[in-house]
Amino acid sequence: MKKILETLFILIAGFTFTGCDDLLDVVPKDKMSPDTFFDNETELKAFSMNFYGMFPGTGLYIANDDAYTQLTLSDEMRGGAIRSIPASASDGGWSWGALRNVNTMLDYLPQCEDKAVRTHYEALARFFRAYFYFEKLKRFGDVPWYDTQVGSTDTEQLNRPRDSREFIMGKMIEDIDFAIAKLPSTKSTYEVTRWTAMALKSRFLLFEGTFRKYHTEFDYGQGAHDAKWYLDLCAETSAEMMATSGYTLHTDGGKNGAYYQLFTTFNATELTDEVILARNYNLTYGVYHNSNYTMNTGSMGRPGMTKKIVASYLMADGTRFTDKMGWETMNFYDETKDRDPRLAQAIRTPGYKRMGTEVFSAPDLACSITGYQPIKYVTTKDQDVWNGADIDLIIFRYAEVLLNYAEAKAEAGSINQEDLDKSVNLLRDRVGMPHLSLSAANDSPDGFLTDSEWGGYQNVTGNYAGVILEIRRERTVELCQEGLRYYDIMRWKEGKTFEAPIYGMYFPGAGEYDLDGDGSKDILLYTTDEAPAGTAPLKYKIGTDIVLSGGNSGFVSPHATTDRTWNEGRDYLYPIPIDERSLTRGALKQNPGWDDGLTF
Amino acid sequence: MTNLTKALITFLLLLLGVAAWAQQGDYILKGVVKDSDGQPLPGVAVMVRGGNSAITDLDGSYSVKVQNGATVDFACLGFHNETVVISGQPVLDIVMKEETTMLDELVVVGYGSQKKTNLTGAVSVVKADALQDRSALDVGHMLQGSVPGLNITSSSGRPGQAASLNIRGLNSINGGSPLVLIDGAEGDLQFLNPADVETISVIKDAAAAAIYGARGSAGVILVTTKSGNKEKEGRATVSYSGRVGFTAPTTSTDWETRGYNSVYLNNLFWEAYSPGTQYATYTDKDMYELWIRRYDVTENPERPWVVIDQRSGKDTYNYYANTDWWHYLYNDIKPTTSHTITLSGATPVINYLVSGGYTYEQGMFRENPDKYNRFNLRVKLSFEVTPWLRIGSNLSYFNSSYSYPGQSGISNNFAKSTGHALASYPTSNPDGSPVYLTQYNGYTVMDGLLMLLDGTNVNSDTTDNLSETLDLTITPFKGFTLKADYTYTLLYKRYLNRAVNGLYSTVPGEIETMETGVFEDKLTEQTNTHIYRAANVFATYEHSWNDAHNLKVMAGVNYETKWLKDLTAIGYNMYSETLNDLDLTGADNDGNKRTDVSGGQNEYKTTGYFARINYDYMGKYLFEANARYDGSSRFLRGSRWVFSPSVSLGWRISEENFFSPLKGWWNNAKLRASFGQLGNQQMSSYYPAIRTIDTGGKSTYLLGGSNPSLATISAPVSSGLTWERSVQSNIGLDLGFLQSRLEVSAEAYIRDTKDMLTAGEPLPATYGYSSAPKENVADLRTMGYELSVSWKDSFNLGGSPFHYGASVLFSDYVSYITRFNNPDKIFAKNYWEGMKYGDIWGYHIDGLFATDEEAAAYTVDQSVVNDLMTGGLRAGDMKFADLDGSGKIDKGNEKVGDSGDWIVIGNSQPRYNYGINLNASWKGFDMAVFFQGIGKMDWYPAADARSFWGPFARPYVTFIPRDFHTQYWTEENPDAYFPRPRGYVAMNTNRELGIANDRYLQNIGYLRLKNLTFGYTLPEKLTRKASIAKLRVYFSGENLFYFAPGLHSDYIDPEMAMTQGNLRVYPWQKTFTFGIDITL
């Protein structure tokens, strides 16, 4: 009946209004169609802006690891049962939208007839594909490789099993080599160039080389190259960059200011000597972050550098602070005196003045849980408000390439003094520190850096152990709070360091303290029921408001009661989200140690 | 005729305290009152003018004392009044004529009208008189509670906020709202002058809506406006209706205003969150200063609220105020007024109606108030060109403007006021500069609201809607009518938003400037133009034969298009702070003029062919069939057309012979049933089946300079995308008793929404999009019923008829998902087969721990919900019940059947909607009371619902309930409602208040006194002298009072919680108005 009526209607409709379907064909008039897009540089550039979203933002200064801690520890730091297998891809870092954009452009690129433009954007897209896969590989190890858009009905590709790590690395090297060859060599602060590609290549090769060296527990796939192959290639790439790029270290401002300038210059275009790529922020265009707010209010986790890292800064004369008698119980003022000048340029130390003011600002424990209050990317007070900061953030800088070079050489066992002089020692020169000597380092490896009580490195061995430790110290100091630390720990297989106590400043007991020696009291600690009278703006009751490692004295221990267990057999790789395992019907194997209870 | 019925009538009479009493010296008049069919009529009021009265009994007989020459009125609802002058006769039998307007009244249905008796679908009608006294601003809000199954909500309480309409609950998980047709053309209730409304038909089932096919799947609201009155031919009628009054908040505004308490509470919650730190660093001495001022409602000259002293080496403002921020920012009492003039009449050739209306409502912002203005104009003309040709024109114009201070989006301003303003802060510094940053922390007071409200940040939203319908009616021979109409509607919206730099002062004598974010100096002008065109051609043929068969056939075609165009232009660095025009765009520091423009447009077209057949036999057996065939431009060829058929049947049992013995007291019984299927094309996108590249975006990754343009590609679409369908069945029963004084109507329905568009089979994330392309793969079933009972009657009281009536409306429905691709029923996919729509999942709370020991002894791991907890559980913390005995509070494997301690604790759908209407009139006095409400609806206060959670949400709330310090757990107050103080715990789902649980689940079911009206109509003999036909004065109050026993707060309107879970929107208002209606 329904069919008959319907047919009748269609007949009537057909007789009375022919061409009705033509009338109802309406297409968007304010949007392009993919088939007519992607055919000139303007369009390709507009689409490629999607890719840039892969670059980190606030993650460049917000850290939660053994070097910088916060009020609440990350799940990675806590380990154990807190780390659970996420249900969905979006919770587990298993999102592939960014790659889809890259492959979409690569698929449509033939629509552009200008070969030079086409090549440029192919190179750019492939740079970002390598970048994307590096992020995935760091997190998950093996992952499936896709170099074209996947259709919703292409079950075989959607359920593609993981490709071997060797295969992925090979593809990443292919992509990045194409990018290096075809991207422009003209420097650009905010756009990806040949040099960005080379810096990325240096970074991921060092990652892979050291990862394979220390993580012998994984299978890297058929015909996998060994660690040395990657380390050598890293050294080679870094050396090429050092020889041909023309980048140098930023030295304006001198030993006590140049380093600080890198992180307090609003526009990275003024730092083109060293900065390879920065992320541009501009309040005028509504693009901002919260560096000042994070570091200077109490509600953003109160980030602070840890005692371990503060202690690892050398003395200004090149000797080790931790070799000094009583270094552990030194008060803050003495502790920060005559240190590697980078310390005073990374955290608040006596004499620190907020940018644009002439007022001394002591460390504020209300904003920094350890007392070692970070100052990188902290700018003028007018940017202290929420969403009020717009200083550019550095994604790649030349110092890292130098450190990559030295580390690759040292880990490969092929380093010499000359290598140190053209890498690490350039960094030392900038801050007026004595040079690192290969022989001296190897002759007396620093016991503090391997002290398990302090969460020191446990897996550094061999003839080059001494210099490797020193290079790690240099890297930690130079690149602190720049978003690299967590994966450094992963590739060095030093996750156990997360179990070590996390300490802040030392306090000998109750009393009022003038931290920066400016004559006014900064903090009052007490054990009585009520806070005694005092002028300090902060009054903490020991044991409740502030926990000290020795009861009524000792190091500030913000996480004394939090269980932390690092699972060596599990935690170096993240788990594949449960839904993804189900959706691919087990084609995606779970990472070792993660039991999701699924069997297929 | 049962004893029960007799008893009922007797009881009603006694209840109302009415009895006739005998008068001396008169004689008794007797008689029987019958209807035109000869049936006796019980309950007829027999009223002797100036004397007493009687009521006919169940046999229709009466007896009443009269004097010779007296005038007796016979009145019965549904019948024309009869008046007889007595001339000594002892017996007077009366036959009363039925009023045709009752059962035979015409109800407007799609493309025509129908006698109410012959209706077979579910259609409710609201008439003008039900709306005339309502003081809500627009027709949408007036309809709330007046039609069973029609649900009205509002997303904010700001003046001019349109109502959201819904018929019979969830239509689709993709949304969908009823089609609103005003005189046959698509329109918006918001644009109507309520005084223009004649009737509103609400079409609820598929049978009645099928004539609108795919446009009517969510129900149809048909508004018919008034026309010139043919009955009063030759005379023009002028009427004026005006009212003035005021609005006020529906909730308490008595917030904490003592600076000491404000600082103390916020710091208390802050410190519990971050031990050893304070939100506001008031020193002990400062706290003392606040303490001694705590009773100072106004500033005591001996204890100034702002003290300047030296801190950190310079002069600093110290704030010790007791500021009532609410009443500083907002007015509780705001004026409102409205006026309408209508001129109407008819000549033999022309019917005409011209009406104009003006409405003004002032909003709550105090210093530079927000203001809503509305103008309405309607010109409706109809010409009889020849006896067989009639031409009509219906022109309506609507204009509204809402101007307001501050940031764009009035609710944003309200939201800003809820944070970071302690009562201890003054409203401004002694030199008059705004308070923005203080010495006490790095937070900005109300995010800069005080600067935004200075009068230079101005906004206006303007709407113009011009609509014209031309229609042509041809009746070439009896029974045949051809109608054609064409409508053109231009809707033009204009938005202006001006932002200027903000000046503030933190240190005496130093003025600083904010230039970014909302303080960026710019002017935004935006226009949205919507052009709607519609044409209908349809023919109707009516024929009856043998006095038994009645046939009506209608068929036609409909074509509609809508085109929407947006244009936005922004100028920066304006030359003037007070003049707002883009010609005044200034230059930046480099001398460049900076502007931004953006556009955008959309379009759709639909065509439909429709037909309807009505047939009835002797008015007893009713049959109706509708069919429509719709095509929409939203779908591609091949899946574009949808067929919507329906059929409905009616049986008027009361017309059967066997029913006649009952007719004396049971005059109407009709059974109806309908079944039909409709398409649904309502979806957010105008081009759901086409993949596009959007180039209008701006990259947030900058390349130095302004935002680079960004092109994004839309997600892939499924090739077979087509209509959702809704299959509905409805049964209805209409009953009338006692000459329709008592009417009962009931409906029950099942609506299956099929092939709902939702993400297809979930795909692995490597696909690259968060969800698979949408496909027509989900089903939903809604089941419900509606009931209305009304009683109307009149009797003689003190020599005048006392009319009274009562009606109760009730409706309810539930919805279930009947098909959804989620076989494991995992929560992450939101829906699953068998899921009851609206279920709220949460944990069960076993109270608060009474002691630290009890807390320490509780071995269950609550870490999943105690993320911010440091130092373990203590007294005053919430005890989550480990229902599955796993030793850990969790959701198990996050799916139905394996959900750990996670259970259904309530349902967020409104249940048991009701409306109660009571009215009475006597001797020119009239009164109406209207209650409206819902029986049950669960609500878990959203994260950051600050007026519920107070500092539990954020330990820096501006508005803290005045009794809040008695509401949270302390050792002295162990039975408190809230747990021990701690900030931020209501913010995230890994914190104890942020995660849904049954302890803080609220039932926001409510009873609201929606309207109360008292009126008085001056006696006609007085007003006649002034040539006034009618003059009435009245008081009308809207939203006067509510009762919500399940809601633990006096500061939250339950209707706000229904739609705005975080409560940070413009508050709901009640209205008090005094009005006058004059008809010349």
Side-chain angles (χ1 to χ4, degrees), chain A residues 22 25 29 32 293 540 580, chain B residues 276 443 603 637 640 693 765:
Chain A
D22 291 340
D25 284 335
K29 295 190 178 75
M32 305 280 286
Y293 197 82
Y540 285 178
E580 296 301 311
Chain B
Y443 302 103
E603 187 178 9
R637 289 175 183 225
R640 173 171 289 163
I693 301 263

Side-chain angles (χ1 to χ4, degrees), chain A residues 2-3 5-6 9-10 12-13 16-17 20-34 37-38 42-43 45-47 49-50 52-53 55 71-72 78 82 87-89 94-98 100-101 104 108 144 146 149-153 157-159 189-191 277-287 293 297-302 359 365-367 382 384-385 395 531 537-540 544-546 561 579-580 583-585 588, chain B residues 270-271 273-278 281 284 312 314 420 436-437 442-444 504 514 516-517 520 557 559-560 563 572 588 594 599-607 609-611 627-629 631-638 640-643 645 677 687 690-695 699-713 716 725 761-769 772-773 824 826 828-829 863 867-868 870-871 888 893-894 984:
Chain A
K2 186 186 150 190
K3 268 287 153 204
L5 274 173
E6 186 166 355
F9 257 88
I10 295 166
I12 297 168
T16 49
F17 292 86
C20 228
D21 262 339
D22 291 340
L23 210 59
L24 296 180
D25 284 335
V26 173
V27 293
K29 295 190 178 75
D30 59 346
K31 294 190 175 56
M32 305 280 286
S33 152
F37 201 70
F38 300 108
T42 314
E43 293 173 357
K45 180 159 186 172
F47 195 80
M49 291 315 299
N50 287 300
Y52 281 92
F55 284 138
L71 184 65
T72 311
R78 292 170 70 178
I82 283 289
S88 70
W94 188 259
S95 48
W96 293 72
R100 171 109 199 175
N101 274 332
T104 296
Y108 281 107
Y146 295 100
Q149 303 176 88
V150 191
S152 59
T153 52
Q157 279 302 305
L158 288 170
N159 291 348
T189 309
Y190 305 124
E191 285 185 82
L277 186 81
R279 184 158 191 160
N280 183 221
Y281 288 87
N282 192 333
L283 288 170
T284 304
Y285 302 108
V287 181
Y293 197 82
T297 62
S299 57
M300 293 291 286
R302 300 160 68 194
V359 183
L365 273 90
C367 302
D382 59 317
D384 283 0
V385 294
I395 301 171
L538 285 180
K539 292 178 182 178
Y540 285 178
T544 50
D545 299 340
I546 194 165
T561 56
D579 289 356
E580 296 301 311
L583 289 169
T584 58
R585 293 171 187 80
L588 285 176
Chain B
W270 179 279
E271 188 161 2
Y273 148 73
S274 180
T277 65
Q278 285 179 309
T281 54
D284 294 349
S312 309
K314 53 171 122 179
H420 291 307
Y436 179 57
L437 273 166
Y443 302 103
T444 51
Y504 66 99
M514 276 297 296
T516 56
E520 183 165 35
V557 58
Y559 175 68
E560 293 189 20
W563 181 68
Y572 294 86
D588 64 14
R594 187 177 156 215
Q601 61 179 310
N602 286 299
E603 187 178 9
Y604 70 76
K605 297 179 178 175
T606 60
T607 297
Y609 305 94
F610 50 87
R628 180 158 170 142
Y629 191 61
S632 167
S633 63
R634 293 181 198 233
F635 304 108
L636 298 181
R637 289 175 183 225
R640 173 171 289 163
W641 293 86
V642 66
F643 183 58
Q677 172 189 305
Y687 311 100
I690 294 177
R691 209 173 174 202
T692 54
I693 301 263
D694 184 344
T695 49
S699 171
T700 52
Y701 189 95
L702 306 178
L703 300 177
S706 64
N707 307 66
S709 104
L710 174 73
T712 52
I713 189 164
R725 289 176 302 130
E761 180 92 21
L763 297 176
T766 48
Y767 174 56
Y769 290 93
D824 297 328
I826 59 173
K829 288 181 185 160
S863 58
D867 186 60
L868 276 186
T870 45
K888 186 173 197 289
N893 279 322
E894 311 226 355
Y984 291 113

